[in-house]
Each structure stands twice: as C-alpha cells, then as structure tokens.
Amino acid sequence: MIVFIRLKKLKIFFLVIIIILSCLLVVHLLNNFSKSSTTFANKDLDTELQEIFNTRNQALLEKNIDILSDLYNKEVRNGLWAYEHELKKMECLKKWSDRQSVQFKRIDSEVILRNSKKKEDGYSVNLLVSTEYEYVYKDDINTSNSFRIGTYHSLDLIKNKDKYIITREWYTDPFADSLHLDEMESKEIKDIILSGKPKDLSDLSKRRKKAVEYAYKYSGAANLPKYGFQYNSEYRNYNNEGGDCTNFASQVFYEGGDFEKNYTWNYKKGSGSKAWVNAQAFHNYMIYSGRASIIAEGSYNEVLKHSYELLPGDYIAYKKKGKVDHISIVTDIDSKGYSLVNSHNSDRHRVPWDLGWNNKDIIFHLVRVHY
C-alpha cells in the first residue's frame, strides 16, 4: 500500500512538471511569434520610411513638385503644412545653389527608426535621419564636395492605397532661417566664390586638429555612421532646453582644443555655466577673455571675402535680432576654399558656413580662436 501511494505521488509530480514545461514552451513560442511579427512589421515600416525619404530627396534634387506632392495627405491641415514647408525648402536650396554657383548631384538619407506606434490605419513614428548632400561647382563639375545634415523627425503616416503618406511632420529644420531667403544673387558674389581656391591646411596646430577631430566625432545625427550618430554622453544634451550648439562648441574647445575651464566658463555636475551654454555669453567670454578675436562682422555680403581667412578650429557666431543666436565650429574647406562648419541643433557636419543662415537680417561674426 505504501509503495502504491508513493508511485501515485510520483505520477502526479511528473504530470505537474510536464504541464509546467508545456506552459513555458507555449509562452516561449508566443513570445517568439510576437517578436517575429514585430520584427517583420518594423522591417516593412523601415522600408516604407526609407522609400519616402528617397522619393523626397529625388523631388528636391529634380525640383519636382509633383513627386513631392504625392508624399502628403494635403486634405488635412498638418499634412498640408508639412508639404508647404518642403516646398519652401526646395525653393531655398534652389536659391542658395544658384547664388553659390553650385549644382547638387546627389542627396541620400540614412533613416533610423527610433520608435513607432500603431495608430488606426497608420503609424506615429520618431526617426533619426542623416542626409548627405553632394555638390559640384558649375565651373568644375569633376570635383565633388559633400556635407551631412542630421535631423530628428516626428511623423504620422496613413495608408493610402498601396503606400504610406505623411499626415503630420515635425522636425528642427536646418534651413529654417533661410526659408524666406532674400534674393542675394549677384555677379560679384559669384565671382568671389568661383575664384576661390583650396587652402593648404597641413600646418594646422595640434590643438586645432584635435578640436576638429572632436567636432567630427560628436556632430550627432550628422556625423559619419562609424561614430554612431551620437553626442558625447558625458555631457548634458540641451536641445530641449533652448539648444545645444554652444554646449557643443564649449566641448570642442575644452575636450579637443585643451582650453582650461575657469569660474566663468565651466561645466561640472551635469550643468554648464552661462558662458558654457549660452551663445551670446559664450561669444562675449571668448572675445573679452582674449581667447578669440573678431576677423570680421556684418551681413553676408560684407563678410564673404573675409570668410576665406577662417581656419579649422575657428568659430562663427550668428546674430539674429540683435543677439547671438547660434555658434558653429569651422572644421574644413571645400574645393573652392569655402569654409565648412559643424554644429548641433540642427546637427551639421562640414556644411557651408552660411547655409541655413542666409537672410539679410543675419549678422555674422567671424572669429579667430587663439590656441
């Protein structure tokens, strides 16, 4: 009798084990199925998003309004606004390239889906987009130049027949201050730009080179894929607190350029002093401390010739409505000796120094940094 009871208990024990294992197996299979379905859905969405940006870049390159129009639901207000914004951007790029005597040859975007949420018959998504622009000067079509711009997008998409279209889009546009670009084209400007020549930068000081290396590595969504499109995580990101351009410039001069911190210009315990993070205060500090000096200041026409004096490791302050609003770091020159800059918000990597800041109301301060 005792043996029989023990056998019965063992059978029950093994039966319970089998049931538990069966349940665990079902849960595992369901989880795998769910993950697989999500992966396949995201793969499809990734492809759709990449195609949208490829098509939009093609429209910008060809100045084709019809191609652009097909990407938006213009029957809703936000979709119409998003479409109208891209129309202005198309016109801005056209005006800038005409004035600059350049032709865009290629626009390629790398789209990285950060998160997505299913929404009725569409999606709400957040993206990181790193876009490379290739251009040539019209008198030298065999020499290519390129720059990268990084943007962070929030989009709503809806299914329309066999594809998704945009019903809402928000992003910090690097061309925002040029969407009403004034007609600045003139023969004198073209002559100055086309007569430019590449400059020998081989004798730059070690500190300047290190500053540029830092600016390259941490230019965020605009930098090269090998750097992972990241800011330096050891520093606070101020983009949601008014902008990160000056914080980035301060990092460049401290981490790369080996300038020492002090009571006025400082970063500690996750926070920067006013001169570290505020564009006007930073510019004032650099000039009055003797760490930098003005090469030239004025409108684009007034400083264009002087811009060829800039060296990698210098900086440009952009004044709007009487106050310095933005700081960018000079990092290189293109095939005509035109200065290129890196900055945060919006993220820029080797971008022509005036692109996105072309209105006649913008005052440029070209600044020599004393390493």
Side-chain angles (χ1 to χ4, degrees):
M1 179 67 68
I2 294 172
V3 172
F4 177 75
I5 292 171
R6 285 179 177 175
L7 286 173
K8 189 174 181 181
K9 285 183 177 180
L10 281 174
K11 286 181 181 179
I12 294 171
F13 173 76
F14 283 118
L15 181 61
V16 170
I17 294 295
I18 290 169
I19 292 171
I20 291 172
L21 289 173
S22 299
C23 290
L24 289 173
L25 179 62
V26 170
V27 170
H28 175 71
L29 289 172
L30 286 173
N31 280 341
N32 277 353
F33 176 77
S34 175
K35 288 177 182 177
S36 175
S37 299
T38 302
T39 301
F40 286 133
N42 283 343
K43 280 184 178 177
D44 291 340
L45 186 57
D46 283 340
T47 302
E48 292 268 9
L49 288 165
Q50 187 65 60
E51 185 58 34
I52 286 172
F53 278 84
N54 289 347
T55 303
R56 190 153 82 180
N57 290 340
Q58 179 190 354
L60 290 173
L61 199 59
E62 298 176 3
K63 307 174 185 65
N64 191 318
I65 295 175
D66 293 333
I67 293 176
L68 188 67
S69 176
D70 289 342
L71 296 174
Y72 298 88
N73 178 2
K74 299 185 294 298
E75 294 180 2
V76 297
R77 181 178 58 184
N78 288 335
L80 179 61
W81 285 351
Y83 167 65
E84 290 175 342
H85 180 86
E86 292 304 312
L87 278 180
K88 292 176 183 177
K89 182 174 176 178
M90 181 185 290
E91 182 63 19
C92 162
L93 284 173
K94 179 183 180 301
K95 287 181 179 179
W96 183 84
S97 60
D98 287 345
R99 190 210 67 192
Q100 203 76 2
S101 294
V102 304
Q103 178 182 354
F104 285 107
K105 303 294 290 184
R106 180 176 57 85
I107 306 175
D108 286 335
S109 292
E110 184 167 351
V111 180
I112 299 172
L113 177 60
R114 304 172 92 181
N115 57 68
S116 63
K117 182 179 179 182
K118 196 74 175 69
K119 194 175 178 182
E120 297 177 358
D121 52 351
Y123 284 94
S124 181
V125 300
N126 288 305
L127 313 170
L128 180 155
V129 183
S130 186
T131 303
E132 184 175 28
Y133 295 74
E134 181 184 346
Y135 66 95
V136 297
Y137 284 95
K138 292 178 180 178
D139 68 343
D140 185 13
I141 60 173
N142 295 318
T143 304
S144 292
N145 301 277
S146 66
F147 61 86
R148 298 181 73 96
I149 285 177
T151 46
Y152 306 88
H153 298 247
S154 173
L155 278 85
D156 287 345
L157 305 170
I158 192 171
K159 196 77 171 179
N160 180 42
K161 297 179 182 177
D162 60 342
K163 66 177 184 179
Y164 286 103
I165 58 175
I166 299 169
T167 61
R168 180 192 66 86
E169 180 176 24
W170 180 91
Y171 66 104
T172 302
D173 190 349
F175 303 104
D177 283 287
S178 295
L179 294 183
H180 301 285
L181 180 62
D182 300 294
E183 297 290 349
M184 297 172 65
E185 184 180 348
S186 74
K187 185 178 184 304
E188 182 182 3
I189 289 176
K190 290 190 179 208
D191 287 345
I192 293 171
I193 291 172
L194 291 178
S195 64
K197 291 180 173 54
K199 188 185 301 181
D200 181 8
L201 301 176
S202 61
D203 61 346
L204 289 177
S205 71
K206 184 178 180 180
R207 289 175 67 191
R208 282 185 179 273
K209 289 178 180 177
K210 282 183 61 182
V212 170
E213 287 170 5
Y214 186 92
Y216 277 178
K217 186 174 181 179
Y218 294 110
S219 52
N223 70 11
L224 301 175
K226 67 179 181 179
Y227 294 129
F229 308 116
Q230 298 293 320
Y231 289 1
N232 187 340
S233 60
E234 294 183 6
Y235 289 88
R236 183 170 164 184
N237 182 343
Y238 283 88
N239 273 324
N240 294 325
E241 302 175 58
D244 197 64
C245 66
T246 312
N247 179 38
F248 177 57
S250 291
Q251 292 172 43
V252 167
F253 294 128
Y254 171 68
E255 296 278 3
D258 291 331
F259 282 96
E260 292 184 359
K261 296 176 185 175
N262 52 43
Y263 178 79
T264 304
W265 183 70
N266 197 12
Y267 185 95
K268 61 181 179 179
K269 297 181 180 179
S271 183
S273 65
K274 188 173 182 180
W276 186 281
V277 301
N278 177 273
Q280 182 70 67
F282 168 85
H283 181 55
N284 291 344
Y285 165 73
M286 291 295 286
I287 299 303
Y288 296 132
S289 69
R291 290 185 165 184
S293 58
I294 300 290
I295 295 173
E297 61 182 274
S299 66
Y300 176 80
N301 292 32
E302 293 169 333
V303 303
L304 175 58
K305 287 183 179 179
H306 296 286
S307 70
Y308 293 90
E309 300 172 34
L310 288 164
L311 294 172
D314 289 337
Y315 76 85
I316 300 175
Y318 304 76
K319 182 181 286 187
K320 184 167 70 170
K321 296 181 180 178
K323 184 177 72 172
V324 174
D325 191 61
H326 181 67
I327 302 290
S328 64
I329 306 298
V330 180
T331 52
D332 209 342
I333 57 174
D334 71 6
S335 64
K336 291 287 187 182
Y338 204 77
S339 291
L340 309 174
V341 300
N342 284 37
S343 72
H344 285 182
N345 71 295
S346 297
D347 296 347
R348 291 169 166 88
H349 181 88
R350 298 184 72 255
V351 176
W353 63 273
D354 67 298
L355 181 55
W357 297 90
N358 308 100
N359 286 355
K360 66 181 180 181
D361 294 332
I362 301 295
I363 298 298
F364 302 90
H365 291 236
L366 313 183
V367 181
R368 170 78 75 236
V369 177
H370 306 304
Y371 289 86

